[in-house]
Amino acid sequence: MKSRHEGFSHKVTSNPWGLSEPSKVVVRRLKDMKECFKACEEDPETEIYRVISPAEEEPCDMTYALTVMKSGKIGDEFFMTKGHFHKRQDAGEVYMCMDGEGCLLLQDRLGSVIRLDMAKDDVVYVPPAVAHRAVNTGKGDFVFLAVYSPDAGHDYESILRRGFAKRVVERGGSVVLEDS
Ligand code: S6P
Ligand code: ZN
């Protein structure tokens, strides 16, 4: 890995989806996010998603991470990320969908939620000060690259405490956004 002053680059690989080395992988399993799903009967070891990012230890002003989310449901809820606010109130980010189909839930501090659908090649701007959660509503992997400032920080606690006001579920074969 070059120093941040020289820039750095990775290839996004498919089959399997990932980032070329040097990169690091964080796997999130059901047991890591039980409080997110209403039902929890499935195997706690079930992988929901993984986040692959540059193995860069030096501080940078911008970075990226690839999220690879499996297709599936826990009860009637589609696989999703934990979701977070950024600690820095002025830090937004950009998501680029590389494969699959899904949506982003954006919830502001007052609890209003909007749903933005995402499919391959869509680029989405996530504004600052909204909690964001990605949901895989498709039949295959949902893969997206997030570009953000690493010092934005992840605040998981605030949104866990309050919870997302809406959840994405399957009803009669359709994808539905319903009140939590
Ligand atoms: C980082 C960006 C993504 C998420 C990733 C996992 O700001 O939004 O890289 O970290 O999709 O989601 P979560 O909610 O578990 O961090
Ligand atoms: Zn984020």
Side-chain angles (χ1 to χ4, degrees):
M1 169 76 56
K2 291 178 181 172
S3 95
R4 68 189 170 107
H5 301 293
E6 298 166 76
F8 54 84
S9 66
H10 291 82
K11 279 251 183 271
V12 176
T13 62
S14 55
N15 252 334
W17 285 100
L19 285 183
S20 57
E21 294 293 326
S23 54
K24 60 187 178 205
V25 181
V26 173
V27 177
R28 288 241 204 264
R29 301 184 187 280
L30 182 56
K31 66 182 181 192
D32 305 316
M33 48 185 305
K34 277 188 175 160
E35 53 285 283
C36 298
F37 292 99
K38 266 202 172 167
C40 245
E41 289 90 51
E42 262 70 28
D43 178 0
E45 296 298 328
T46 304
E47 176 177 333
I48 310 293
Y49 61 101
R50 54 182 58 205
V51 182
I52 305 123
S53 55
E56 169 62 78
E57 299 303 334
E58 272 193 79
C60 328
D61 63 335
M62 293 287 285
T63 191
Y64 42 77
L66 189 78
T67 300
V68 182
M69 199 186 309
K70 306 249 183 220
S71 171
K73 289 194 300 282
I74 303 295
D76 54 11
E77 264 180 296
F78 291 98
F79 280 11
M80 60 189 167
T81 57
K82 279 179 84 158
H84 59 271
F85 286 100
H86 292 156
K87 286 185 176 158
R88 242 181 59 199
Q89 296 299 306
D90 61 345
E93 69 186 309
V94 172
Y95 277 28
M96 281 166 273
C97 183
M98 318 292 291
D99 205 19
E101 284 168 33
C103 65
L104 259 182
L105 295 184
L106 303 181
Q107 176 163 317
D108 66 19
R109 295 268 176 197
L110 299 175
S112 300
V113 180
I114 60 166
R115 166 184 160 187
L116 294 176
D117 288 327
M118 270 202 297
K120 182 172 161 38
D121 299 335
D122 286 342
V123 182
V124 173
Y125 170 64
V126 179
V130 295
H132 39 290
R133 161 175 283 167
V135 185
N136 185 353
T137 57
K139 303 225 178 300
D141 287 350
F142 181 40
V143 184
F144 58 88
L145 190 79
V147 180
Y148 59 100
S149 170
D151 74 359
H154 291 76
D155 168 13
Y156 293 104
E157 290 70 33
S158 300
I159 192 63
L160 264 183
R161 228 178 294 126
R162 177 167 197 159
F164 277 81
K166 307 264 184 192
R167 52 196 211 108
V168 184
V169 296
E170 187 182 64
R171 292 277 173 260
S174 300
V175 177
V176 173
L177 184 65
E178 68 175 32
D179 290 343
S180 292

